[in-house]
Amino acid sequence: MLYTTSTVQEILDDPHGKMVLELHLPGLLDSPYLGMVMGMTLEQLAQHDSDRLRPQKLDAIDAALRAQTSSHDPRDKRTPVQPNIIFVLSDQHNPLIIGNHGDPFVRTPNLDRLTAEGTALDNCYCGSPLCVPSRSALLSGLLPHRTGIFTNFQALPSDQTTFVHALAIAGYDTVLAGRMHFVGPDQRHGFAERLVGDITPSTIGVGYDNYGVLRGTTGQNRVAATKSGPGRSAVLQYDEAVLAAACGYLEQRAETSKPLFMTVGFYGPHCPFVCPHDLFEHYYETLPHPEPLDDMRGALHPAVEKWLSNRGILDLDLDTIHRARAAYYGLIELMDQYVGRLRETIAATIGSENTLIIYSSDHGDMAGDKGMFWKSNMYEGSVRVPAIFHLPDAIPAGRRITGLTSLLDFGPTLIELAGAPALPLADGQSIWPQLTGDKEIDPDRVVLSMCGDLKGDLPSAMVRQGPWKLIDHHSYATPQLFNLEDDPHEQMDLGDSESHAEVKQALYQELNQVWDGAAVHEHVQRVAAYTNLRGQFNTKTGNRYPDDWRGDPEDNTVDDVNPA
């Protein structure tokens, strides 16, 4: 550690250090015994006040303080100075549905090769299993309780600095090709150039028809599952345009000494669950038929039962689940093809040897597990994400990091790699030393995720430490609790087990430092009221934002399924 041997006085002498201590040790600066501890190091303070400063908190303070200095240069002889960075960010990709991530049915040769030649994070979680809150957390490095963004109708404030701003300050050209689900007039948030606007409307209350006969299938509702199968949708139109724009930019980019940071934002494999005929037919025939719902679900927590009821899928039939799953798998294979074509273009243009390639997603999709689809819940298929890092010579090939990580780690990691200025606050931490193999993830690390959407569900939050994962559902007395080493499919809920009371208490002690379900619920209700007013204003005034992508509603089809 770099800072735990510093005294409290030394840390407070630095404005950033003072901010970190105020954040992680609330009340310390106003404490009557502050003067007594000014000469203590953080390690000594932890021994003096073990209740306030537990080992995990000590590590978090150390990481936050390290993030504030640029004196630590991570770049050694293995790492190119300021490599190009291509960040491929898909939407709603279940982390387990990749060939060499354990799925025996999906065909993903390009993601498999990227994993084999790079390092994968096997336990990477999003800050919120919903698009805008997750992406806002990713960009800002802050969990939703700090950003205040819990719904898809909110905007990251323009004065909220992102890690993309920091990379631009460090000399990077920052380019966004495609989706980032920005809401409101600011469609950049640190990106100096945008090649393709977003597929979802950026103006609240103003919609347009990209989906034709598939209208209504992008949301979390029964029709999104039932109207699925072989065909074509605006998602395919959009991703084809994004791929063409990204590859075209690389091919036309003039020679320059400036490094490139480009995010390639695809909408797939997000619903509609509609994919090309050949892919659908392959997966419809090869995927096993779903197990009976009672076998998949086990005993449902009442909050999960309400989740299913709110979306009209409590009694979803197995044939529909099978059909939607087949299309979802087809969309993942299509995404894999895009990754392959993008890698070919990178190799032919800016070069692979000096380019960090990252593949990830904003959250997962339940993909039929437990009879559920989409996101907005805390099961692994929804709240975990695929995460692959590839940089020749610097990042070891074929390595799997099983320690707990977060999408919120990506910003601090890229900031450290690029030698960019750190953001003032970060809930994530740089994992560059872990990616290069120089250090292991702290086995006691805690990761969090939060959800407070507007679909009739009450707020929920997840905390994971070691094998244990606790899910708190606001207003419900009993949480969900899983031991993911013993129960990776989350079928044995130990939430009401008296023999696990100490585990629950320890996890709640971590979660309750930042989570207040009642306050989030109240906040989300206010957000809904403000959203309604903004929608009325935009409708009344004709207010529009110019960047949105427009598709061809006639280029949407879905065909009946005729099993062979």
Side-chain angles (χ1 to χ4, degrees):
M1 293 185 184
L2 296 177
Y3 289 97
T4 52
T5 56
S6 300
T7 66
V8 173
Q9 178 67 69
E10 290 170 338
I11 294 171
L12 290 177
D13 286 343
D14 183 336
H16 290 303
K18 181 178 180 181
M19 184 183 301
V20 169
L21 291 189
E22 286 176 335
L23 172 67
H24 289 278
L25 296 175
L28 174 65
L29 302 189
D30 299 323
S31 171
Y33 80 105
L34 177 62
M36 300 169 53
V37 302
M38 291 290 274
M40 290 185 181
T41 66
L42 287 183
E43 289 180 343
Q44 292 169 336
L45 182 59
Q47 296 172 0
H48 176 75
D49 191 350
S50 58
D51 289 336
R52 181 192 296 268
L53 196 54
R54 297 185 302 281
Q56 300 95 313
K57 180 62 71 71
L58 195 65
D59 288 345
I61 293 174
D62 179 69
L65 290 168
R66 278 192 287 111
Q68 304 305 329
T69 178
S70 60
S71 62
H72 173 60
D73 188 351
R75 296 166 295 189
D76 57 23
K77 62 184 180 181
R78 299 169 300 176
T79 308
V81 175
Q82 289 194 316
N84 297 308
I85 303 169
I86 305 296
F87 182 18
V88 183
L89 186 64
S90 64
D91 198 310
Q92 215 161 296
H93 187 168
N94 183 301
L96 299 176
I97 306 180
I98 297 176
N100 61 7
H101 286 50
D103 192 291
F105 302 103
V106 72
R107 300 180 299 194
T108 53
N110 295 295
L111 289 174
D112 291 349
R113 184 163 66 92
L114 192 69
T115 304
E117 296 173 356
T119 290
L121 308 179
D122 284 347
N123 286 295
C124 187
Y125 291 84
C126 61
S128 178
L130 186 64
C131 297
V132 173
S134 177
R135 292 164 183 268
S136 298
L138 162 68
L139 290 167
S140 68
L142 302 175
L143 284 164
H145 75 286
R146 294 198 205 280
T147 65
I149 298 175
F150 285 91
T151 80
N152 279 345
F153 303 101
Q154 295 176 266
L156 192 66
S158 293
D159 62 356
Q160 174 65 64
T161 307
T162 70
F163 78 83
V164 186
H165 288 106
L167 295 182
I169 294 170
Y172 275 78
D173 285 331
T174 55
V175 179
L176 174 58
R179 179 166 176 77
M180 192 51 85
H181 208 156
F182 292 141
V183 179
D186 187 349
Q187 293 289 301
R188 297 295 186 273
H189 294 284
F191 290 100
E193 186 174 357
R194 187 166 192 176
L195 307 181
V196 182
D198 220 306
I199 186 172
T200 46
S202 59
T203 310
I204 298 301
V206 176
Y208 38 80
D209 185 12
N210 281 333
Y211 291 94
V213 297
L214 294 176
R215 191 179 302 112
T217 58
T218 62
Q220 299 181 44
N221 54 65
R222 191 179 184 93
V223 70
T226 58
K227 194 177 283 190
S228 58
R232 184 166 171 79
S233 79
V235 174
L236 276 62
Q237 298 177 45
Y238 182 76
D239 285 351
E240 291 163 0
V242 168
L243 180 65
C247 292
Y249 178 89
L250 292 173
E251 291 164 351
Q252 297 169 17
R253 180 173 165 82
E255 287 193 20
T256 175
S257 60
K258 293 189 69 176
L260 172 66
F261 172 70
M262 181 165 69
T263 295
V264 184
F266 293 110
Y267 198 28
H270 193 288
C271 50
F273 298 128
V274 174
C275 73
H277 282 253
D278 59 331
L279 298 179
F280 177 82
E281 290 167 3
H282 169 76
Y283 289 110
Y284 192 81
E285 293 175 1
T286 59
L287 284 175
H289 208 262
E291 300 174 1
L293 288 180
D294 288 345
D295 293 345
M296 281 197 289
R297 290 174 175 168
L300 284 180
H301 189 283
V304 177
E305 188 169 357
K306 181 179 180 183
W307 188 100
L308 289 160
S309 179
N310 285 339
R311 290 155 178 80
I313 60 169
L314 192 59
D315 60 346
L316 199 62
D317 65 277
L318 298 184
D319 289 339
T320 295
I321 294 173
H322 183 60
R323 184 175 67 250
R325 276 174 55 83
Y328 181 72
Y329 269 66
L331 289 171
I332 290 178
E333 181 169 340
L334 194 61
M335 174 61 57
D336 183 81
Q337 295 174 16
Y338 297 155
V339 171
R341 289 168 60 186
L342 187 59
R343 285 197 70 183
E344 291 174 357
T345 304
I346 291 169
T349 55
I350 59 175
S352 300
E353 66 282 352
N354 188 43
T355 301
L356 170 63
I357 301 174
I358 306 170
Y359 177 81
S360 193
S361 203
D362 57 350
H363 48 72
D365 187 302
M366 291 301 291
D369 183 26
K370 299 176 175 58
M372 302 169 73
F373 286 93
W374 318 299
K375 59 264 186 164
S376 298
N377 65 81
M378 295 299 175
Y379 286 120
E380 292 289 280
S382 166
V383 76
R384 260 178 55 197
V385 295
I388 308 167
F389 286 72
H390 177 279
L391 180 58
D393 297 328
I395 295 178
R399 188 159 176 259
R400 311 297 288 251
I401 294 178
T402 58
L404 304 185
T405 55
S406 168
L407 276 181
L408 279 73
D409 298 335
F410 285 27
T413 300
L414 297 183
I415 283 173
E416 181 173 0
L417 171 62
L423 302 183
L425 290 177
D427 287 319
Q429 62 189 48
S430 173
I431 55 170
W432 182 248
Q434 288 81 7
L435 287 170
T436 57
D438 295 332
K439 191 176 180 181
E440 298 296 325
I441 300 289
D442 182 353
D444 293 324
R445 187 183 183 190
V446 173
V447 295
L448 305 172
S449 188
M450 305 172 179
C451 192
D453 201 7
L454 293 171
K455 296 178 177 64
D457 315 316
L458 292 170
S460 60
M462 178 217 78
V463 54
R464 181 167 178 195
Q465 185 177 36
W468 293 104
K469 172 178 171 180
L470 180 141
I471 304 170
D472 177 72
H473 298 283
H474 169 58
S475 85
Y476 292 89
T478 303
Q480 290 180 280
L481 179 68
F482 300 99
N483 184 322
L484 294 178
E485 287 185 1
D486 298 338
D487 179 27
H489 301 295
E490 299 173 289
Q491 293 182 317
M492 295 181 291
D493 184 358
L494 303 171
D496 60 358
S497 168
E498 293 184 3
S499 62
H500 293 88
E502 290 186 5
V503 173
K504 286 186 288 185
Q505 181 180 7
L507 292 173
Y508 263 125
Q509 191 172 9
E510 295 290 344
L511 182 62
N512 289 342
Q513 294 181 55
V514 297
W515 175 250
D516 184 338
V520 171
H521 181 59
E522 182 179 343
H523 171 70
V524 169
Q525 299 312 304
R526 286 196 302 270
V527 167
Y530 284 126
T531 297
N532 180 269
L533 290 173
R534 282 189 295 142
Q536 291 183 50
F537 167 79
N538 291 331
T539 302
K540 187 80 170 179
T541 62
N543 189 38
R544 301 289 187 277
Y545 304 130
D547 275 356
D548 294 350
W549 174 87
R550 301 295 177 91
D552 178 6
E554 299 299 320
D555 193 16
N556 289 268
T557 61
V558 61
D559 297 336
D560 292 334
V561 178
N562 297 309

